[in-house]
Amino acid sequence: AAVVIMACDRADYLERTVASVRAALGVRPGDVDKFPVFISQDGRHKATRAFAEGPKAKDFHWMQHLEDRPPTTRTRFRWDSVAYYRIAAHYKWAMKTLFDDLGYERVIVLEDDMELSPDFFGYFEAAGKVMDADPSVYTVSSWNDNGQKIHVSDERRLYRSDFFPGLGWMLHKALWRELAPKWPDSYWDDWMRLSDVRRGRESIRPEVCRTFNFGEVGSSKGQFFRAYLREIKPASERIDWASQSLAYISNGDAYEDQVRRTLASATIIDSPTQVRLVPPENAATNVYKVIYASERDFNRLAKRFGVFAEWKDGVPRAGYRGVVTFKMYKGRATVMLVP
């Protein structure tokens, strides 16, 4: 898979990301050859280009996206809204360059404000095999929207999600061929979360994030950063993903059956105070479900339990069939918000 770091005018952020990518590539012999890295710069920011072509980005490939004309809209937007039009155009150009012009089969998309876990590339190689074999897999992501320290524990656990997580993700050439003709003019990530774009497919994502987003300053103006992003727990173990069985995540129907069985045996609660601590060896069976009746009801309960209270096109963040799963008390209890 080619790796592309999407950059614009944050040279200091880019330097931190490049150092992290280089460190992750050095964990396993051969990854430098398996994962060629491209820095795709949008615009003419001099410091960003100087770094991307300098010695600290040695062996990475720099490419530059220049718009023929600024994006236009039918209505008047603030500057930060126009920025999202520029971002969507940059993404489309970078994907076209890597897939159509250079012929890569898979692309891992990073942004210039991310640090990677030590097992980042091993994770994507293993999960990528699941994606290749199962057409119900939409993308592979390194991100969990509810990956805060208080909600995660198992660094080996993966999930399927109807919500496209983004923030360090991989897609296949076949998906790009499908998306390219209808790529949106702006807000590409929310567009990928639409049901008529996703078409019932699911993304694979980890319980514990394989990326840490440090970008408080950017086009989103630090949206959600203080409330959620800075509390994300990045993975710290060097897991040998080639030795991990991913059979439980590899078949969509079997995965759904597994979730249904877990729900059937879970204890119904409606408040965090009803969660009971058990010895760590009993944590796997200490499962609770919280029933919600509507999006508004979900948001109320999500805030009560401290998870992301947001939906996109009828899907809650990190949701699978409307079920949002997270941990409590250092992994000694599992809680599932259930429609």
Side-chain angles (χ1 to χ4, degrees):
V3 180
V4 60
I5 304 171
M6 307 297 288
C8 182
D9 58 2
R10 302 185 294 185
D12 53 340
Y13 279 17
L14 178 61
E15 181 174 358
R16 184 172 168 181
T17 297
V18 164
S20 181
V21 171
R22 193 178 296 282
L25 284 172
V27 171
R28 300 190 312 165
D31 275 356
V32 171
D33 297 323
K34 287 181 181 179
F35 300 97
V37 181
F38 294 79
I39 299 171
S40 183
Q41 179 183 351
D42 186 37
R44 294 182 170 87
H45 190 254
K46 292 181 179 179
T48 299
R49 178 170 180 173
F51 173 80
E53 293 188 302
K56 291 185 178 179
K58 182 182 179 182
D59 302 326
F60 291 5
H61 310 283
W62 174 79
M63 57 189 195
Q64 186 178 34
H65 171 241
L66 298 174
E67 289 182 303
D68 295 332
R69 62 183 185 276
T72 58
T73 65
R74 295 182 180 179
T75 57
R76 301 179 69 178
F77 283 84
R78 303 186 313 275
W79 178 88
D80 60 340
S81 294
V82 171
Y84 289 108
Y85 284 77
R86 296 183 183 277
I87 291 169
H90 182 201
Y91 269 76
K92 183 177 183 178
W93 177 84
M95 298 292 189
K96 181 181 182 302
T97 299
L98 295 170
F99 281 122
D100 300 342
D101 300 343
L102 298 180
Y104 286 101
E105 292 294 316
R106 305 178 199 86
V107 172
I108 297 173
V109 184
L110 299 173
E111 296 169 13
D112 62 352
D113 56 2
M114 294 180 175
E115 291 182 331
L116 313 187
S117 67
D119 64 349
F120 179 90
F121 291 104
Y123 163 73
F124 272 98
E125 185 171 18
K129 293 177 181 178
V130 178
M131 180 179 71
D132 289 349
D134 185 356
S136 74
V137 176
Y138 190 42
T139 67
V140 173
S141 175
S142 60
W143 187 256
N144 172 15
D145 281 299
N146 293 317
Q148 294 77 27
K149 300 178 183 69
I150 62 172
H151 293 316
V152 299
S153 63
D154 188 350
E155 298 205 2
R156 290 170 169 77
R157 185 70 168 87
L158 306 184
Y159 296 80
R160 284 181 175 241
S161 177
D162 298 315
F163 191 94
F164 166 67
L167 291 176
W169 59 285
M170 179 168 66
L171 74 163
H172 195 277
K173 189 173 188 176
L175 180 61
W176 170 246
R177 286 175 174 166
E178 175 188 326
L179 300 181
K182 51 187 179 180
W183 190 258
D185 292 332
S186 65
Y187 299 96
W188 66 270
D189 48 349
D190 284 342
W191 175 79
M192 286 193 66
R193 294 171 179 136
L194 297 177
S195 58
D196 59 348
V197 176
R198 187 172 54 82
R199 295 170 53 196
R201 292 167 291 192
E202 300 133 11
S203 293
I204 293 175
R205 56 96 174 165
E207 178 171 315
V208 180
C209 293
R210 262 58 199 182
T211 49
F212 177 76
N213 185 294
F214 57 83
E216 186 170 5
V217 177
S219 296
S220 65
K221 310 301 182 188
Q223 184 184 27
F224 302 128
F225 184 86
R226 286 173 292 278
Y228 293 99
L229 300 187
R230 70 180 178 185
E231 297 301 323
I232 289 290
K233 180 189 184 306
S236 58
E237 297 182 37
R238 293 189 178 186
I239 295 172
D240 178 12
W241 284 99
S243 67
Q244 298 291 310
S245 173
L246 300 185
Y248 70 95
I249 204 81
S250 298
N251 181 281
D253 292 337
Y255 183 83
E256 183 169 345
D257 289 343
Q258 171 191 318
V259 173
R260 290 184 183 279
R261 288 195 301 272
T262 302
L263 287 172
S265 60
T267 301
I268 296 178
I269 61 172
D270 58 17
S271 170
T273 60
Q274 295 174 286
V275 174
R276 298 288 178 257
L277 291 179
V278 297
E281 58 269 22
N282 297 330
T285 58
N286 194 31
V287 182
Y288 299 86
K289 58 186 175 185
V290 186
I291 310 300
Y292 66 89
S294 64
E295 180 177 344
R296 182 177 180 180
D297 196 27
F298 171 90
N299 291 340
R300 176 183 61 83
L301 290 166
K303 290 175 183 177
R304 179 180 295 179
F305 282 86
V307 296
F308 230 124
E310 186 182 42
W311 291 46
K312 298 288 186 179
D313 199 30
V315 180
R317 282 187 180 268
Y320 172 81
R321 307 295 190 264
V323 178
V324 174
T325 303
F326 55 95
K327 300 291 182 62
M328 293 184 66
Y329 301 113
K330 298 182 179 180
R332 293 168 68 182
T334 298
V335 179
M336 307 170 81
L337 301 182
V338 186

